[in-house]
Amino acid sequence: EAGVAQSPRYKIIEKRQSVAFWCNPISGHATLYWYQQILGQGPKLLIQFQNNGVVDDSQLPKDRFSAERLKGVDSTLKIQPAKLEDSAVYLCASSFGIGDTQYFGPGTRLTVL
Amino acid sequence: TQLLEQSPQFLSIQEGENLTVYCNSSSVFSSLQWYRQEPGEGPVLLVTVVTGGEVKKLKRLTFQFGDARKDSSLHITAAQPGDTGLYLCAGATNSNYQLIWGAGTKLIIKP
């Protein structure tokens, strides 16, 4: 069974530029999560989708971050404009349903210069 | 605000030694999970504990959930270099099933 796919794996941009990350969850998983993991910290939930609807985006900085899961399968997370403090690993995870085991992708390491 | 504190933050020991990692909170969790994360990878679930006082074993790893479901420990016996990684604990509540994450313990096992 294929795992959670993420791309790109690495991205380096300058501040004020925009960037987008892509995630393809495990087939059949209705719930999709985007996390931000800053070096030395645990993952922080940015947004949670159930199919194509948003369950929780309370910690998403909506002035610069946006995410969508239009067809309820793959998802994109966008940052525009990026700030230095956005440098982190962005993890995508999926689960069969809410409360079920989460399976994580390899993450995208973002460096903002 | 629910918080999970992990200790120690960093541990470097020789192969063959034993170690314990702790995960503590003032909040009660319905379940607690332990993950291992290797460089360049996402966290991988090791175990979920759900009952106060529960002990689960995974080969040389022993996980315990506190009686009050506020804390947990991970004990590794005879550590191997392959155990090297970042160990994360995450607690879930019944309210929304979202995970509250600790900051992790970075473990290095030297051959």
Side-chain angles (χ1 to χ4, degrees):
Chain A
E1 179 181 282
V4 177
Q6 288 189 248
S7 66
R9 293 295 310 273
Y10 305 92
K11 191 73 178 179
I12 301 175
I13 61 173
E14 295 190 348
K15 59 183 179 182
R16 291 187 291 273
Q17 287 187 324
S18 62
V19 64
F21 313 127
W22 175 81
C23 171
N24 192 28
I26 292 173
S27 178
H29 280 194
T31 313
L32 185 147
Y33 314 78
W34 281 103
Y35 289 91
Q36 179 193 60
Q37 186 176 24
I38 293 174
L39 188 64
Q41 298 181 18
K44 168 189 166 184
L45 180 67
L46 294 176
I47 189 167
Q48 178 183 344
F49 291 95
Q50 179 68 7
N51 297 308
N52 62 351
V54 175
V55 174
D56 187 344
D57 63 357
S58 57
Q59 298 196 87
L60 186 74
K62 298 181 186 64
D63 57 335
R64 297 184 301 107
F65 286 63
S66 64
E68 60 184 17
R69 194 185 184 200
L70 295 176
K71 296 183 179 179
V73 180
D74 56 349
S75 176
T76 55
L77 176 69
K78 296 179 182 178
I79 308 175
Q80 182 180 6
K83 292 185 175 182
L84 296 177
E85 58 262 36
D86 298 332
S87 293
V89 174
Y90 290 84
L91 295 164
C92 179
S94 71
S95 63
F96 185 74
I98 294 175
D100 292 326
T101 299
Q102 297 183 29
Y103 297 87
F104 286 81
T108 296
R109 180 175 296 277
L110 174 68
T111 302
V112 182
L113 303 175
Chain B
T1 302
Q2 294 175 307
L3 292 173
L4 268 174
E5 295 184 357
Q6 285 190 243
S7 62
Q9 291 183 327
F10 179 79
L11 186 59
S12 179
I13 62 172
Q14 292 293 136
E15 179 178 2
E17 294 184 3
N18 302 331
L19 66 107
T20 302
V21 174
Y22 300 93
C23 179
N24 295 294
S25 176
S26 58
S27 302
V28 176
F29 293 102
S30 59
S31 66
L32 196 134
Q33 299 177 351
W34 285 93
Y35 292 78
R36 183 169 75 199
Q37 184 176 21
E38 299 189 29
E41 300 296 331
V44 175
L45 180 65
L46 296 174
V47 78
T48 300
V49 285
V50 296
T51 305
E54 181 177 5
V55 176
K56 280 191 174 180
K57 292 191 175 183
L58 187 65
K59 297 183 180 178
R60 294 176 292 100
L61 279 60
T62 302
F63 304 85
Q64 185 162 8
F65 202 10
D67 291 341
R69 292 186 286 130
K70 293 182 179 181
D71 54 87
S72 181
S73 63
L74 158 60
H75 182 79
I76 301 179
T77 303
Q80 304 293 312
D83 297 327
T84 292
L86 178 69
Y87 288 80
L88 294 157
C89 65
T93 65
N94 281 331
S95 60
N96 59 13
Y97 300 103
Q98 288 180 3
L99 296 177
I100 308 298
W101 293 82
T105 294
K106 186 172 183 179
L107 177 63
I108 295 176
I109 309 300
K110 295 177 285 188

